[in-house]
Amino acid sequence: MSVSSRPRRVLVLGLDGCSFDVLRPLADAGELPHLARWLADGVARPLCSTTPPMSFPAWSTFQTGLEPGGHGVFDFTQKEAGAYRIRFSNARDRRGLSLFARLSRASAPVLALGMPATFPPEPLEGLLVAGFDAPVSTGSQPRSTSDPALYERIAARTGPWMLPGLDEAAAAEGWHERAARSLVERVQRKGAFALEALAQLRSAGRAPQLMCVVFSESDTVAHHFWRDHDPASPRHDPNASPVRRQALTAVYRALDAACGELHAAFGEEALCVVVSDHGSGGAARRIVHLGRRLAETGLLRRNESRSTMDALARATRDAALQVLSPRMAERIFRSARSAAARVESAVRFGGHDWRRTLAFTEDVNTQPGVWINLRGREASGCVAPADYERVREDVIAALEDWKLPGAGPVVARARRREDVYAGPHVERAPDIVVELASDAGYGLSLVPTPWRRGDDRSVITLGDDELGGGRGRGMNGTHRQDGVWIAHGEGARAPRDAECPRLSDAAPALLAALGCDWDAGDTDAPRPSPYSAEEEQQVASRLRALGYLE
């Protein structure tokens, strides 16, 4: 790849989960002066995310310009081929050169902070600090960066990029008030770290040509405070405190201030692009259990003698998470080497009668899908290859016929994976990809099936005391397909000439703005090492704290 003789500089501000549904009303109300100006003077487009619209596949697409079938990352976890177990995904699973690697190969310095799906970090010209997938115990560690010595010098002045923080799946009294304040402080701390990193790179004669900073707080605040922000939400609490009602606005104000400071420090003359990996919206009052739906239609069969083991694994894990502090739970899980993936696998796949199960699911909201228990592929597969398509048709029919009380659909679309994805890694996706419907405009949440005897419902309406969300209830804010693209400054344009460009268009457009060639065939990538057993425990604890693992 070549760089033009007069390369431009680009600042990318990633606001995870940012949606125009939030951004425009706040900008119009005068709450976001910097973002409002960029909206008015720049080029703004909705940016169509990946399927599913989740951070790991989406930010991997942003980095590589490839859809999930091309880069191979579909979720935080990946079902292992031929086994009823999962492993935790990381940058090792991604194929395709990242935007950062392409620039570094051309000797162009890069500063990339907080990008998910970048651990273990790849070597770069400049500095990369991995996002929330990096193992965190007392704070972001030097091993989570491409230049540990530089990171330590920056952190000595500002503190680490990321701290363990609050358990975001908790529901203790006063948690939301503490979380609202903590999220604003996190934005401010990350902004200070980014400014110091920029200053130190410049002082070393390595001024970045591309600076990319991703803030996760816009996603977190939507997950936990959407119902307090949106009075029409079916989960709305009219008795919410003023802190809760203003939490989303307060976090976006902090983000706007951080964006303005970073833009001024990087240089007002540079092209500035605000981007998100997906959008956000409110959750419905109803949750759904995909595993239970497969069971009630006879596609999945349970083995009650083994169900006790499944229930014990779930109960042991849940008890530890409820009784212990997040840090103590992490230490205990970490002491049992490789326990995280084993326990999570037992929860997802334990208790099934594999001799009679035609189809099964991982039962996770981050990747709704169904696997066929195919003979010759799965460890105890019972579906003959000749019956594969017929069984897929039966599963799709059962999902399309799944109804809410009042006869609305539970599933918007159930499609064969090859109708959704293309590329060399389609086989990593479930055989049937499921997109949940909305209920009166609010998203349904897929929650792991609690295989309790006597509870055979596949659609649950939450009680008043369950609307805040948490384990077993989903979060009160969910992801949406459309993220944002806002380009401001000289050369600002949409990433593609379309009403709704795709996230995969971002990397080629940014390289073009930087004066670099894009070679779509250049997809080789180094293979960083996988998580160690200790790192796996830390990442699992972090994903549970975020609410992405039950």
Side-chain angles (χ1 to χ4, degrees), residues 1-9 106 209 511-517:
M1 184 187 73
S2 63
V3 180
S4 68
S5 58
R6 297 183 61 189
R8 297 190 60 213
R9 297 181 306 116
Q209 187 175 334
L511 278 178
L514 287 160
C516 304
D517 300 327

Side-chain angles (χ1 to χ4, degrees), residues 340-521:
R342 289 204 309 271
V343 170
E344 197 61 35
S345 298
V347 169
R348 295 188 190 189
F349 303 126
H352 297 342
D353 183 347
W354 296 112
R355 296 171 302 170
R356 298 188 298 151
T357 288
L358 303 179
F360 60 97
T361 176
E362 295 178 57
D363 236 4
V364 289
N365 200 49
T366 51
Q367 190 185 25
V370 177
W371 295 90
I372 303 303
N373 195 24
L374 184 63
R375 185 187 305 157
R377 184 186 70 182
E378 305 299 345
S380 300
C382 65
V383 175
D387 295 327
Y388 174 73
E389 287 300 340
R390 177 185 60 78
V391 174
R392 278 212 294 186
E393 290 174 2
D394 290 344
V395 172
I396 290 172
L399 296 177
E400 291 177 341
D401 194 45
W402 193 9
K403 302 298 182 185
L404 297 168
V410 170
V411 171
R413 290 193 293 183
R415 294 183 286 169
R416 295 167 176 81
R417 63 186 182 184
E418 63 269 23
D419 294 335
V420 180
Y421 305 114
H425 301 298
V426 173
E427 78 284 350
R428 294 184 183 180
D431 295 288
I432 297 154
V433 178
V434 178
E435 296 176 53
L436 297 176
S438 61
D439 185 7
Y442 290 84
L444 295 169
S445 299
L446 192 161
V447 173
T449 303
W451 295 105
R452 296 187 295 264
R453 294 180 181 178
D455 188 354
D456 59 356
R457 296 172 296 168
S458 62
V459 179
I460 307 290
T461 300
L462 296 176
D464 289 347
D465 61 341
E466 300 175 304
L467 297 180
R471 292 188 179 94
R473 301 180 296 277
M475 292 181 278
N476 67 77
T478 63
H479 291 184
R480 294 288 188 271
Q481 186 65 228
D482 288 349
V484 305
W485 170 279
I486 306 167
H488 175 263
E490 184 181 352
R493 63 181 183 86
R496 184 164 61 90
D497 188 17
E499 190 64 28
C500 186
R502 297 193 60 80
L503 189 58
S504 54
D505 298 319
L510 290 170
L511 278 178
L514 287 160
C516 304
D517 300 327
W518 172 265
D519 182 357

Side-chain angles (χ1 to χ4, degrees), residues 154-207:
I154 299 166
R157 294 181 65 87
T158 68
W161 166 259
M162 187 166 61
L163 293 169
L166 292 162
D167 179 359
E168 294 165 17
E173 184 71 25
W175 179 89
H176 283 87
E177 284 73 17
R178 293 193 300 275
R181 291 187 289 270
S182 176
L183 290 172
V184 170
E185 292 168 359
R186 274 168 41 176
V187 172
Q188 294 168 342
R189 185 181 68 248
K190 289 179 178 179
F193 185 101
L195 290 170
E196 180 64 24
L198 176 62
Q200 291 207 25
L201 281 171
R202 282 176 169 167
S203 68
R206 303 162 66 195

Side-chain angles (χ1 to χ4, degrees), residues 1-10 98-112 122-128 146 201 205-212 266 510-517:
M1 184 187 73
S2 63
V3 180
S4 68
S5 58
R6 297 183 61 189
R8 297 190 60 213
R9 297 181 306 116
V10 175
S98 73
L99 172 66
F100 313 127
R102 289 174 186 266
L103 284 168
S104 289
R105 287 188 176 188
S107 300
V110 171
L111 175 57
E122 57 191 334
L124 291 179
E125 175 62 34
L127 176 66
L128 182 149
S146 63
L201 281 171
R206 303 162 66 195
Q209 187 175 334
L210 171 67
M211 180 174 179
C212 180
F266 192 72
L510 290 170
L511 278 178
L514 287 160
C516 304
D517 300 327

